[in-house]
Amino acid sequence: FPDTFAAWQETKQWFIDNLWDGITIQEIVALFGGHTVGRSHADASGYISRWTTNINVLNSEYYFNLVTGPLPFMGQADFRQKKVKDLYLCNDPAFFGDICDGFDGEGRELNQWVIGPNTTCCPAVVDIILQLNTDMSLALDIEPHLNRTTGIVNCTAPTPQQFNGFPFVPPAPNACGFQQETSQLVNQYALNNSRFLNDFAQV
């Protein structure tokens, strides 16, 4: 699998090198929708939690959680990176039954993107719904702001004010830009479940 510390360009190259000849950007983005089902397991990857609210249903929710327009879910979610070891569910066996130390098999300290406390959409899943760098880079251009050694991204996800446009609030100086190559595909899948399911079935 692609290195979870990576951003879009490295992730894209992994798919090109390791899957079939001629794989397209659309096919790569569609394959990411597999995260809609299942969850991450601390004993396997070091990460913990799930990408969607219902891990037993294949639909376009994975993309909806990353959408940057026209519905501003990402801004409403208040996504932010946190150390895995600092997440309350990392040390609560009642949540998933996992106990994690916040490191991967190579001894690297792990961070994952989670819905933050300032969310305006979904306070019930603060610190629960997760994204990794590989996921976030489908929507945001994190590459220029990524410390590849630590996996820490030094730009911020959009805010509700950025998306709403009224009253105008300029992006924060360190705001991540949108990923030009893939963000529109993410938005299209988010708003068209049938298209995602069809494209996913094709790949």
Side-chain angles (χ1 to χ4, degrees):
F1 292 102
D3 190 329
T4 57
F5 280 26
W8 166 243
Q9 293 301 325
E10 183 179 338
T11 301
K12 176 177 68 172
Q13 194 60 48
W14 184 94
F15 279 92
I16 291 170
D17 293 342
N18 291 278
L19 296 188
W20 56 88
D21 289 340
I23 189 169
T24 67
I25 301 301
Q26 180 174 320
E27 288 171 331
I28 295 172
V29 174
L31 283 169
F32 267 90
H35 279 162
T36 304
V37 293
R39 67 176 180 89
S40 59
H41 295 261
D43 58 350
S45 66
Y47 297 102
I48 187 169
S49 203
R50 59 183 188 255
W51 284 265
T52 59
T53 53
N54 190 336
I55 64 174
N56 298 311
V57 176
L58 180 64
N59 58 25
S60 60
E61 183 185 344
Y62 168 79
Y63 302 99
F64 190 83
N65 292 346
L66 293 171
V67 73
T68 54
L71 300 176
F73 181 87
M74 182 177 282
Q76 296 171 5
D78 185 38
F79 274 116
R80 57 186 62 198
Q81 270 189 316
K82 292 186 70 171
K83 293 183 184 299
V84 171
K85 68 181 182 181
D86 292 340
L87 296 171
Y88 72 89
L89 50 85
C90 187
N91 299 296
D92 183 359
F95 193 80
F96 279 130
D98 291 5
I99 295 293
C100 47
D101 62 7
F103 293 83
D104 67 7
E106 301 175 24
R108 301 182 302 179
E109 188 171 36
L110 299 176
N111 297 272
Q112 64 190 47
W113 295 80
V114 293
I115 290 179
N118 296 326
T119 178
T120 58
C121 67
C122 31
V125 289
V126 167
D127 279 359
I128 296 177
I129 297 298
L130 80 98
Q131 307 290 345
L132 306 178
N133 283 355
T134 44
D135 304 301
M136 293 295 283
S137 70
L138 296 179
L140 301 178
D141 184 18
I142 65 173
E143 209 117 25
H145 312 277
L146 170 64
N147 182 320
R148 187 60 184 80
T149 301
T150 64
I152 294 174
V153 176
N154 291 312
C155 63
T156 59
T159 65
Q161 291 86 355
Q162 263 181 264
F163 282 109
N164 292 341
F166 182 82
F168 176 74
V169 176
N174 63 332
C176 307
F178 295 144
Q179 176 56 255
Q180 297 301 312
E181 199 166 17
T182 54
S183 60
Q184 289 305 309
L185 278 169
V186 169
N187 295 343
Q188 290 166 22
Y189 284 151
L191 301 176
N192 192 331
N193 186 61
S194 296
R195 179 181 175 185
F196 159 63
L197 292 175
N198 181 70
D199 288 356
F200 186 79
Q202 295 300 314
V203 297

